[in-house]
Every structure is written in structure tokens, then in C-alpha cells.
């Protein structure tokens, strides 16, 4: 095994601009340049910003419950004592169009499990909560990395996860209550494993701190950690900043090597397949001589930060048309339509509704 190389400050820099200019990080950690040089992927740290407006808190959680749409897999109850909490223990079923649909959040069951010591975990909050999605997009743009959001609610003495390592740098925004965090040192080998530490692995404790509302904790990638509810009902938003994996590099390399290659997707016959092999090998050999390690790193980083269309729009593209805009444009584009307004939109809607009812 080889020892893990200490990261350089340039490892925090996105392809286009340095996070030293990032206003969001500055709000949390103060001097971003000092943070990049001293803490980033080197050591854990606790910060106390003047203001911390987490986009998701217990009021937003209640609103999610009230909406009636919160369900698994975005909702989970966990315990660190090897006890598996089955989804039926915190969800309910509904009858929709004569069919049973399972996994809808049941607030009464969730509260009962919280009182029994379990932790509530909301996954990928950025996928279904607009303000959190905006925060994640800004942080991703600033750091040049893919960012995800998770929300934890833990009772006093509760511990959702045992000591574990994440494949991400983590910012913890404490929203309510108090939670004691224990952060241990980094892996000692390059080929380290994610998840819970084996029982025989001992990791040096680097930081022990009680977070209070408004506090920010930074946990470097791979550093082992755990958290225990200390006072009140503890809630925090975890922002995980993903870094490049070997698979990311492999995917980026394949894309770089095959860029500009015009071959049929399904060559017919052995002769055509052999010709495609020869063309592919020749193209890859030529491309390989032009790609540098830096090119590959930047390509993998760019692909990693690119969000799926279903989750968010890119900053360079116009957001998709809203339904309200669609209604206005629909009315304006209708044959013989005058100016678009509330009345014309209403008439258009009634016309479409009546046509649907009569089958015309």
C-alpha cells in the first residue's frame, strides 16, 4: 500500500476560477484563502459565522410533511447500534386510483422513533427543495465540484451513524439543538474504504466539539467522524462536496480519447467490425499523445459538476418554461388571439377543458 499524498492547495481550485473569490465560503469560513491553504482536505475546523441562514430547517421539514409528498427514498430513519429501522415503521400507504402506494412519510411515526433514539435522515434535499437546490448550485460553482445536501434530525443521546468515512468533504450547518462531533484522522493508505470503520481500526481523535445553532463544521474528505445529539432536538444540514474518483477519470478518459470519432454505432459484419477496431485504435493512439494529466483532471471535474437536466438547469441556459408562461404563450399564439392576458388565458383553458370533456 502507498501512503496518501497530502493534497495541495490547487486541489481546491475549480477549472475556471479560484474559490478564494467565493462569497458563500467566505460567509462560513472567513478568509477563504487561509482556509484553502490550512484546512481544506487537511484538518477539521469549526467556524462561527455572524449569520448563517440555512435554507432548510425544522419549519421547512414540517412544510415537507404537510405537503403530503415526502416519501422514501428521500426519507429514512437510522440508528448506529446495528438496528435496521424498516420503512413501514415510519411511513404509511395511500390508495391512489384504486392501487396501494407505499412509502409516504408518517410524521407521528417519525416523532415516536425520534423519541426512541432513532435519527431522521432526509436524502438529496437539493433534488426536491428549491432554496437548498440554489445553495448547492452556488457552492458547486464556487468549488468546481459536485455537491449534495442531506438533513439529519437527532434526539439527545442519539447517534445516526457509527464512526465512518465519507468520500466527500463535508460542511455541517447546525440548524437547531446541540450536537457533539468527534472527528478522527485521515486514512493512512491510498486504497481506503468508505463507510463504517472496522472494529479493529483505531483512528486518532483530532477534534471534539459541541455545535450550537449557527455553527459550521468542516470535515475533510475521508476523515472518520461521528455525531451524538447533545441537547434539544438537534438538526443540521450536511453539504457533501464530492471529489474525483478513479471511475470519474476512466469515464473522462474514454470521452477524451473518442472525441471527434465518427464511426457507425452498429457496424455490420466482421469486416466492418475489424475496420472499426482499426479506426478506433488509430484515433485513440493519436489522441493519447495530446492529452495531459491536467487535461484529464479538468475534464473529469467538469463532467462531475455537470448536473442532470432533471435536477437543475445550467447557468448558461434559459430555465425551462413554466406552466404559467406556457399558458400565456399558448393563448398569445392561438389563431386570431389578441393580446395575452388573464381573460385570454382563462378562455384558452376553458376551451381546452371543454374539448377534453367532449372528446373533440
Amino acid at each position: 500500500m502507498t501512503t496518501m499524498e497530502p493534497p495541495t492547495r490547487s486541489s481546491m481550485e475549480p477549472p475556471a476560477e479560484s474559490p478564494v473569490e467565493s462569497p458563500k465560503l467566505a460567509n462560513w469560513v472567513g478568509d477563504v484563502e487561509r482556509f484553502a491553504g490550512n484546512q481544506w482536505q487537511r484538518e477539521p475546523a469549526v467556524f462561527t459565522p455572524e449569520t448563517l441562514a440555512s435554507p432548510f430547517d425544522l419549519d421547512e421539514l414540517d412544510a415537507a410533511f404537510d405537503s403530503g409528498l415526502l416519501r422514501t427514498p428521500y426519507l429514512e430513519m437510522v440508528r448506529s447500534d446495528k438496528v435496521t429501522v424498516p420503512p413501514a415503521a415510519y411511513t404509511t400507504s395511500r390508495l391512489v386510483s384504486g392501487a396501494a402506494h407505499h412509502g409516504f412519510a408518517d410524521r407521528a411515526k417519525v416523532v415516536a422513533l425520534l423519541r426512541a433514539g432513532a435519527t431522521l435522515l432526509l436524502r438529496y434535499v437539493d433534488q426536491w427543495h428549491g432554496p437548498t437546490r440554489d445553495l448547492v448550485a452556488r457552492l458547486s460553482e464556487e468549488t468546481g465540484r459536485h455537491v449534495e445536501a442531506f438533513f439529519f434530525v437527532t434526539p439527545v443521546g442519539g447517534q445516526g451513524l457509527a464512526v465512518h468515512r465519507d468520500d466527500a468533504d463535508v460542511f455541517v450547518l447546525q440548524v437547531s439543538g446541540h450536537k457533539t462531533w468527534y472527528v478522527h484522522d485521515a486514512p493512512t493508505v491510498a486504497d481506503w474504504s468508505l463507510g463504517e470503520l472496522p472494529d479493529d481500526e483505531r483512528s486518532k481523535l483530532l477534534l471534539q466539539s459541541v455545535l450550537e445553532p449557527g455553527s459550521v463544521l468542516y470535515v475533510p474528505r475521508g476523515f472518520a467522524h461521528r455525531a451524538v445529539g447533545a441537547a434539544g432536538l438537534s438538526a443540521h444540514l450536511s453539504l457533501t462536496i464530492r471529489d474525483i474518483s478513479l471511475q470519474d477519470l476512466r469515464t473522462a478518459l474514454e470521452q477524451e480519447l473518442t472525441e471527434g470519432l465518427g464511426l457507425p454505432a452498429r457496424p455490420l459484419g466482421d469486416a466492418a467490425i475489424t475496420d472499426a477496431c482499426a479506426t478506433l485504435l488509430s484515433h485513440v493512439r493519436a489522441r493519447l499523445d495530446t492529452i495531459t494529466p491536467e487535461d484529464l483532471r479538468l475534464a473529469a471535474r467538469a463532467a462531475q459538476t455537470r448536473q442532470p437536466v432533471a435536477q437543475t438547469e445550467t447557468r448558461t441556459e434559459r430555465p425551462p418554461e413554466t406552466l404559467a408562461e406556457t399558458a400565456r404563450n399558448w393563448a398569445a399564439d392561438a389563431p386570431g388571439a389578441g393580446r395575452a392576458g388573464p381573460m385570454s388565458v382563462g378562455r384558452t383553458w376553458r376551451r381546452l377543458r371543454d374539448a377534453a370533456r367532449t372528446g373533440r
Side-chain angles (χ1 to χ4, degrees):
M1 296 289 185
T2 57
T3 57
M4 195 167 81
E5 292 291 335
T8 62
R9 180 176 175 274
S10 62
S11 67
M12 188 182 177
E13 296 177 355
E17 60 179 339
S18 167
V20 170
E21 303 298 328
S22 73
K24 178 55 63 181
L25 285 177
N27 289 342
W28 297 344
V29 305
D31 189 330
V32 178
E33 187 170 4
R34 184 190 310 144
F35 170 76
N38 297 337
Q39 274 94 31
W40 176 252
Q41 295 191 339
R42 287 176 173 83
E43 64 179 34
V46 175
F47 304 94
T48 308
E50 293 184 2
T51 59
L52 175 65
S54 171
F56 198 85
D57 55 20
L58 292 179
D59 288 335
E60 293 296 310
L61 174 57
D62 275 324
F65 275 111
D66 291 339
S67 74
L69 297 178
L70 181 61
R71 62 178 303 183
T72 57
Y74 292 117
L75 173 84
E76 187 177 352
M77 300 293 290
V78 295
R79 301 182 69 113
S80 65
D81 49 9
K82 311 291 185 182
V83 174
T84 300
V85 184
Y90 51 88
T91 63
T92 189
S93 300
R94 294 180 186 165
L95 196 65
V96 182
S97 297
H101 296 267
H102 310 288
F104 291 93
D106 187 313
R107 182 160 33 196
K109 291 181 179 180
V110 168
V111 170
L113 285 170
L114 285 170
R115 294 186 181 279
T119 288
L120 170 63
L121 166 58
L122 300 182
R123 296 185 176 278
Y124 304 104
V125 179
D126 51 293
Q127 292 185 6
W128 49 272
H129 184 252
T132 300
R133 179 167 55 249
D134 293 339
L135 171 63
V136 162
R138 290 197 303 272
L139 189 58
S140 178
E141 186 176 28
E142 292 167 6
T143 61
R145 287 161 170 78
H146 180 61
V147 182
E148 299 160 344
F150 302 83
F151 193 73
F152 293 81
V153 181
T154 305
V156 176
Q159 180 176 325
L161 303 173
V163 181
H164 65 283
R165 301 189 190 278
D166 292 324
D167 189 20
D169 294 270
V170 180
F171 278 103
V172 174
L173 312 184
Q174 187 70 19
V175 171
S176 65
H178 295 69
K179 182 168 287 185
T180 304
W181 282 81
Y182 305 85
V183 183
H184 300 254
D185 58 8
T188 56
V189 296
D191 191 20
W192 53 281
S193 298
L194 300 178
E196 188 174 334
L197 267 61
D199 293 337
D200 59 351
E201 181 176 346
R202 296 293 178 263
S203 184
K204 179 182 178 183
L205 182 64
L206 300 180
L207 179 147
Q208 178 178 340
S209 180
V210 178
L211 296 191
E212 58 185 25
S215 299
V216 175
L217 168 68
Y218 167 67
V219 180
R221 180 189 184 204
F223 281 54
H225 57 277
R226 67 185 178 97
V228 182
L233 190 61
S234 171
H236 73 267
L237 183 69
S238 281
L239 300 170
T240 60
I241 305 174
R242 304 289 179 190
D243 212 334
I244 297 171
S245 67
L246 179 59
Q247 184 56 50
D248 294 324
L249 293 174
R250 287 172 174 166
T251 301
L253 179 60
E254 179 182 356
Q255 293 173 343
E256 290 292 303
L257 290 177
T258 57
E259 183 180 1
L261 181 63
L263 281 175
R266 289 167 292 278
L268 289 173
D270 286 346
I273 293 174
T274 300
D275 288 343
C277 290
T279 302
L280 178 61
L281 289 172
S282 177
H283 184 88
V284 166
R285 289 189 184 104
R287 286 285 297 158
L288 194 58
D289 289 336
T290 67
I291 300 173
T292 67
E294 183 67 6
D295 292 333
L296 184 58
R297 183 181 73 85
L298 294 181
R301 187 82 74 204
Q304 182 200 51
T305 57
R306 200 173 298 126
Q307 297 283 340
V309 175
Q311 293 183 27
T312 185
E313 305 86 34
T314 62
R315 297 266 175 173
T316 58
E317 298 175 354
R318 186 184 183 277
E321 186 178 60
T322 65
L323 288 175
E325 290 172 337
T326 299
R328 289 192 293 270
N329 294 336
W330 200 323
D333 294 340
R339 63 181 183 86
M343 292 301 293
S344 61
V345 171
R347 285 194 296 270
T348 299
W349 176 252
R350 286 193 295 273
R351 186 167 60 252
L352 292 171
R353 180 196 61 195
D354 294 342
R357 287 176 175 174
T358 61
R360 291 184 285 109

